[in-house]
Amino acid sequence: MHAQAACSYIMETQATTERIPRIRRILAAHLRYWKLEPHIAPVCRAVDELIGNVVRHVPGDKTCVVELRLTGRHLIVSVADNDRRMPRVTSSCPAKGGLATVAVLSDSWGTCNTDTGKVIWFSRRVKEAEHLRRGRLTPMPPMRAFRPLPADGPVPGDSGPFPGQEAHRSGRIGAGVA
């Protein structure tokens, strides 16, 4: 029996309106590689909303961690930031943006507190991608703790890949496909 190998991608970045198009291109490239083209537009639109919320509502340090995780039949996307205030749904109209848009573009979504802030996630059901490696299902490493980037100096974790991931790095944004 063959099982779908799980894949993940984690990016730590500063949330700015200028970086949103770059983040969108990076996520779209990973979804294309995973043969999930039908999910590119809704996932990128929902992440745009979540990053935009960090830009608008998080005071001070706007470091965030964006994660894509493909686990068989589900694509789970999350954005973590260092603000402990939980988001509020201020409108049920997706045209006004925000979490209402995320809700429309996903099968499920939610929020949770962390020791250093919060995570907002959403999931979408996917058909099994054809080209991904097949083999024994290996457990995914747990999501690493969220730590803001230092003001100067080396970026924590840039010395090598996360356990179980190959290194594909350029600059301060890291990628891994397990």
Side-chain angles (χ1 to χ4, degrees):
M1 181 175 140
H2 293 285
Q4 173 74 40
C7 299
S8 75
Y9 172 75
I10 299 172
M11 171 188 355
E12 186 171 0
T13 187
Q14 288 292 319
T16 65
T17 53
E18 296 81 18
R19 288 192 182 182
I20 289 174
R22 179 180 179 195
I23 294 167
R24 187 183 312 124
R25 285 190 303 271
I26 291 168
L27 297 179
H30 280 277
L31 294 173
R32 240 181 252 107
Y33 179 74
W34 294 343
K35 302 288 187 197
L36 298 175
E37 287 86 355
H39 298 276
I40 292 173
V43 166
C44 289
R45 177 70 178 108
V47 171
D48 286 356
E49 287 296 327
L50 295 178
I51 299 290
N53 285 346
V54 173
V55 171
R56 282 187 295 282
H57 302 295
V58 173
D61 181 20
K62 297 190 185 291
T63 302
C64 64
V65 176
V66 180
E67 180 178 8
L68 296 176
R69 191 172 288 240
L70 178 61
T71 57
R73 297 188 188 275
H74 292 93
L75 175 64
I76 302 165
V77 183
S78 64
V79 175
D81 63 52
N82 62 2
D83 185 9
R84 294 195 54 91
R85 294 176 299 153
M86 296 304 283
R88 293 185 340 225
V89 178
T90 57
S91 171
S92 61
C93 178
K96 292 184 178 182
L99 292 175
T101 300
V102 173
V104 167
L105 295 171
S106 63
D107 295 316
S108 62
W109 71 277
T111 63
C112 62
N113 281 323
T114 66
D115 289 339
T116 59
K118 68 179 170 296
V119 175
I120 303 172
W121 60 269
F122 64 92
S123 69
R124 293 180 54 86
R125 283 184 292 274
V126 298
K127 292 182 181 177
E128 189 173 343
E130 294 295 323
H131 88 291
L132 293 174
R133 289 186 301 200
R134 299 202 178 267
R136 288 184 294 134
L137 186 61
T138 56
M140 294 296 299
M143 184 173 171
R144 64 187 178 112
F146 175 77
R147 291 182 308 248
L149 289 173
D152 56 353
V155 176
D158 266 358
S159 61
F162 296 107
Q165 294 180 323
E166 300 169 8
H168 296 284
R169 296 184 182 270
S170 63
R172 299 180 89 171
I173 298 175
V177 178

